[in-house]
Amino acid sequence: MIIDKNCLFVTIAKYLLNKNVEISPIELLLFGTDTNYQQEILFNENTQNYEYEVLKFSTEKLLENTGISFEFDRKNANENGLKTYLDTNEVLLFCNCFYLPYLKRNYLTNSGSHLLSAKIKSRKIIFYDNHYRGSLEIDQLEKAARDDSSYLFLTYSEKKSTQKDFDVSLAILNSIEELLLHLPEVSKSLYKLVSLIDTILSSASVEIIL
């Protein structure tokens, strides 16, 4: 599936499943992003392709639409470093993929925000993200997670009840219809549509709304 390329939505979905909250990555995409297709989809004259510039992930919109409550939580680094905030319970933590050795394509090559789940087990850091599951040394995660003098966590509160009853299939169709309204050329070719969706889900940057 194309969506499994996106660390944000897949990692959150895996984390919530461990909390007995079932929501798919595509639902997180549809109900947790604040998107204006007309403004965000751009045509690159050099490559002759449509490119999706940014997805705006909003915890407020996710709460409103699904009842799932998250907040961005920035913690200050102290003398004990990241160990201060890690224990046997998993946490969602933003890292710089430049310093994550298991991400071979990005390690010491490309900088970018990457979400993973981490917890301490037998003095090791156990982690998972959208693709990988394994262990890291604490100093490796410390280097990847520290942003100047702080760390950025995505903290889950609870699944609240919501009066809204969403039909995922209808939401997907509405999103595609929105795309086609602004990109009539795509409707002529299914291949172009698939390529566009692939760009949205795998190549787009994700902007978090704090």
Side-chain angles (χ1 to χ4, degrees), residues 44-206:
N44 187 321
E45 294 183 356
N46 294 324
T47 62
Q48 295 296 299
N49 289 322
Y50 288 97
E51 297 177 353
Y52 197 89
E53 188 177 43
V54 68
L55 292 170
K56 295 183 175 66
F57 179 67
S58 169
T59 54
E60 291 183 1
K61 185 169 183 180
L62 185 65
L63 175 61
E64 176 187 355
N65 288 341
T66 68
I68 295 173
S69 178
F70 276 102
E71 66 177 18
F72 294 101
D73 187 12
R74 188 168 291 280
K75 302 285 192 182
N76 292 326
N78 57 31
E79 61 182 12
N80 293 321
L82 191 57
K83 289 186 290 187
T84 305
Y85 306 109
L86 294 180
D87 56 29
T88 55
N89 296 314
E90 61 177 307
V91 297
L92 292 175
L93 177 66
F94 287 94
C95 297
N96 187 343
C97 61
F98 186 88
Y99 296 110
L100 293 172
Y102 71 92
L103 294 177
K104 303 299 184 184
R105 294 180 59 183
N106 294 310
Y107 183 53
L108 302 181
T109 303
N110 300 310
S111 293
S113 180
H114 186 77
L115 183 67
L116 55 77
S117 166
K119 66 179 181 179
I120 293 178
K121 184 178 181 180
S122 301
R123 299 182 181 180
K124 279 272 193 176
I125 302 297
I126 305 301
F127 79 92
Y128 65 79
D129 59 16
N130 54 321
H131 279 308
Y132 303 98
R133 183 181 297 270
S135 62
L136 288 167
E137 298 293 339
I138 183 63
D139 59 332
Q140 292 176 321
L141 189 60
E142 173 78 34
K143 193 170 185 178
R146 186 186 285 253
D147 180 14
D148 292 329
S149 59
S150 64
Y151 316 101
L152 182 60
F153 294 86
L154 185 60
T155 304
Y156 171 68
S157 299
E158 60 182 320
K159 173 71 169 71
K160 301 177 181 179
S161 61
T162 175
Q163 298 299 316
K164 296 189 177 182
D165 182 17
F166 286 93
D167 184 326
V168 176
S169 298
L170 180 60
I172 293 173
L173 290 175
N174 287 341
S175 297
I176 292 177
E177 182 181 10
E178 184 94 14
L179 282 170
L180 296 180
L181 286 174
H182 300 298
L183 302 175
E185 300 89 343
V186 176
S187 62
K188 300 176 184 179
S189 170
L190 180 61
Y191 175 78
K192 287 185 179 180
L193 179 58
V194 172
S195 297
L196 177 62
I197 295 176
D198 182 63
T199 300
I200 292 174
L201 297 179
S202 63
S203 301
S205 58
V206 178

